[in-house]
Amino acid sequence: MSDLIAPHGKEERLMPLLLEGDELRAETERAKTLKEIKITSRETSDLIMMGIGAFTPLTGFMTRADWQGVCDKFTMADGTFWPIPITLSTDEEQVKEGDELALVDEDTGTTIATMQVSEKYTIDKEYECKAVFRTTDTEHPGVAKVMVQGKYNLAGPVKVISESYYPEQFKGLYQRPAESRKIFEEKGWRRVAALQLRNPMHRSHEYLAKIAVEVMDGVYIHQLVGKLKPGDIPADVRVKAIEALVDNYFVNDTVVQGGYPMEMRYAGPREALLHATFRQNYGCSHMIIGRDHAGVGDYYGPFDAQKIFNEIPKGALKCENLNIDWTFHCYKCGGMASMRTCPHGKEDRLLLSGTMVRKTLSEGGDLPAEFSRPEVVEILKEYYQNLEDKVEIKLHGAATGEVKNK
Amino acid sequence: MSDLIAPHGKEERLMPLLLEGDELRAETERAKTLKEIKITSRETSDLIMMGIGAFTPLTGFMTRADWQGVCDKFTMADGTFWPIPITLSTDEEQVKEGDELALVDEDTGTTIATMQVSEKYTIDKEYECKAVFRTTDTEHPGVAKVMVQGKYNLAGPVKVISESYYPEQFKGLYQRPAESRKIFEEKGWRRVAALQLRNPMHRSHEYLAKIAVEVMDGVYIHQLVGKLKPGDIPADVRVKAIEALVDNYFVNDTVVQGGYPMEMRYAGPREALLHATFRQNYGCSHMIIGRDHAGVGDYYGPFDAQKIFNEIPKGALKCENLNIDWTFHCYKCGGMASMRTCPHGKEDRLLLSGTMVRKTLSEGGDLPAEFSRPEVVEILKEYYQNLEDKVEIKLHGAATGEVKNK
């Protein structure tokens, strides 16, 4: 038996909803005969998370009772802990309970799953937003997505028939929970901390990961490869940068990299709980929660995402939070530190804003080695330079010749 | 109710054997009428550990059945986990079962406790040494003390009537478990890591403590103030050096200092278990176990003291080990690191032997800031300089005048 943490839910086993072999082929054929419903990128990524077992023990999109329980007390109708509603919406009036549907990703046209509609219901979207995002401000990107959802929610069991472009586009990075678990088991790991990542890894992230390496069996650097906000650095560049970091500054067999297809909701504390929930399915006993985890703007206190782990029912979630304070390089400490370990002042610390980092890199400048490893900076500089070139090409046409070998 | 870890033993409460008030006065008087037995500094310190509740749930020195169980399977006759025999020995032939004794510290002449002899028995000392120290080599300081023990062991309940010179000599540092627990509770701590210390705190110890600060509620820097090996730095100098470090490099309310009277046995792995056992009584949920914990010479593998926590019966000990690898400053990492987090070579790391450190300091030289904080180095230099002066005074007489203001 595995020493790894059990998957989430009463059955304590992974429940991937992705069909295989003959079943997959038959269902793919049958899907072509079903009524099609277009689904958003968020719904698509949630379906794939269900498909690979990352959302174990969900069997499909949530019912109204599930939705209400999750909003009010982090609990589905059957008593299972879950922190954020996983729902499907539509405006189609004619869909009714009992219908069989093919769920088609509106971005790619790929049929991701089939579904039997067990319930069609309406929700109070503002109510959901207040509960989940603590705001109804549509400037909040997560709120915005809920507010533009269809009039109706559809619940019911799904059969997933596609992982879309993820396995191909993120080959070697994209992982199913069964795969990460196998890797951890082969390494003999039991205590594994997940590091959530959607940006390149600077030294502050390295420090988080290394604290975890010091006290755990290993760290799972788990990158979001789902859809991003405009301006974010694409996954392939992030992967390259992280590989350079891991190769040069980590000890073999202390780190595993992986990618998952979920989209950010930027729900801060509630999303931290969701991150821990599906990381448990991936085999992680701990989830690193830093400053403003999964937050956006000023909607959440910097450590709300740590505190919420004390506010959920005890024992509801097996994966534990590994809280780490705001981290930075301190010249007086002579190394990386956090607000918990460095007693010095602002003037002793190296603090750079994201804007300043992007500006420096896109102008071809170097970041201080105390902020980011030179090997990482090189890769990011190259990316930003190419980006500039593309912009220049767009602005001036490719004929200027100016853009090469910068 | 306290959120702190419960004390060791079935009753889950502190059981200090030190009498107080009228009981103490009466027993002190009665002790004067009893037959006196001289006890060693190790036995004295064990008695005081029982007195203050640090050795909860022991009620006195161990019986033969306890001794056998502890040697063979870390377990006393009543099933309680205990890793090292806590025994009293004598050569006195005329002591017999049922006798009431006054136990007098041979070094200070202080009567530490009274005891009712419930059993007089002999042991196979080599057997104990093999089990506890993994060697019978009398070069091993712990083995040496067992081998010169008296012919007989005496078991039986004790009433402790003195803490000897500890409360006075180590005022503000020496603590009873009830005191440290009160401090932790006032701070609202629940997850507390103990850092065992018997040397000044250089940056490698600071790093151990800070890793624990990052992931726990706080760290208990717990110094041995029991008898030392010749050449060790005395507790008052260590305290001063640690205070300088804590004041300048730690955040308020992340660290508590304390001292305990036990003597080192240098039993490596078994002693690491003992350290964790009594730290649980002090209110610590975790015990930091670094490289060669409580070891001496080459008797133990560098991580035997970590491994042994997996070899004891599951659930036997509530206080968990917080394992940390060999730590040092790495110039390529640009900070403190361990063998688990630094992939670089020897040539990139700052590694100084204890001998080299002592030599540098006693010659008034500075240690690199990457090895030890300048504030700490100042205090140690002063100590070594005074020590040199004393040696010079001894060698040349005080009249040379040379020794002042060096």
Side-chain angles (χ1 to χ4, degrees), chain A residues 175-185 220 281-283:
Chain A
Q175 272 163 0
R176 300 178 185 178
E179 291 167 331
S180 59
R181 284 179 169 268
K182 190 157 172 277
I183 296 170
F184 302 161
E185 275 167 24
Y220 189 40
N281 290 330
Y282 272 97

Side-chain angles (χ1 to χ4, degrees), chain A residues 282-331:
Chain A
Y282 272 97
C284 300
S285 60
H286 290 76
M287 176 79 216
I288 298 174
I289 309 289
R291 181 171 172 269
D292 198 25
H293 186 100
V296 65
D298 290 325
Y299 296 99
Y300 311 109
F303 299 104
D304 286 358
Q306 299 184 348
K307 288 177 201 150
I308 200 169
F309 282 81
N310 300 325
E311 295 159 13
I312 58 172
K314 216 175 167 165
L317 182 61
K318 283 209 184 73
C319 179
E320 289 176 52
N321 48 320
L322 181 68
N323 296 338
I324 304 182
D325 212 307
W326 190 10
T327 59
F328 44 77
H329 189 278
C330 169
Y331 291 98

Side-chain angles (χ1 to χ4, degrees), chain A residues 203 207 210-211 213-217 248-251 254 323 333-334 338-344 373, chain B residues 203 207 210-211 213-217 248-251 254 323 333-334 338-344 373:
Chain A
R203 285 196 61 185
Y207 182 59
K210 285 191 166 175
I211 291 171
V213 169
E214 294 290 10
V215 299
M216 302 271 156
D217 295 327
N248 287 288
Y249 297 95
F250 281 82
V251 174
T254 60
N323 296 338
C333 286
S338 83
M339 297 291 281
R340 272 187 70 74
T341 50
C342 164
H344 306 121
R373 299 296 186 184
Chain B
R203 284 195 64 184
Y207 182 59
K210 285 191 166 175
I211 291 171
V213 169
E214 294 292 10
V215 300
M216 301 272 157
D217 295 327
N248 288 288
Y249 297 95
F250 280 82
V251 173
T254 60
N323 296 339
C333 287
S338 82
M339 296 292 280
R340 272 186 70 75
T341 51
C342 163
H344 306 121
R373 300 294 186 183

Side-chain angles (χ1 to χ4, degrees), chain A residues 15-32:
Chain A
M15 295 162 66
L17 306 180
L18 186 63
L19 301 181
E20 291 183 333
D22 287 345
E23 275 194 315
L24 173 60
R25 276 186 289 278
E27 193 66 12
T28 306
E29 282 312 304
R30 196 177 75 94
K32 293 175 187 162

Side-chain angles (χ1 to χ4, degrees), chain B residues 275-311:
Chain B
H275 283 169
T277 305
F278 75 76
R279 259 52 172 250
Q280 183 178 328
N281 290 330
Y282 271 97
C284 300
S285 60
H286 290 75
M287 176 78 216
I288 299 173
I289 308 288
R291 181 171 172 271
D292 198 25
H293 187 100
V296 66
D298 289 325
Y299 296 100
Y300 312 109
F303 300 104
D304 286 358
Q306 300 183 348
K307 288 178 202 150
I308 200 169
F309 282 80
N310 300 325
E311 294 159 14

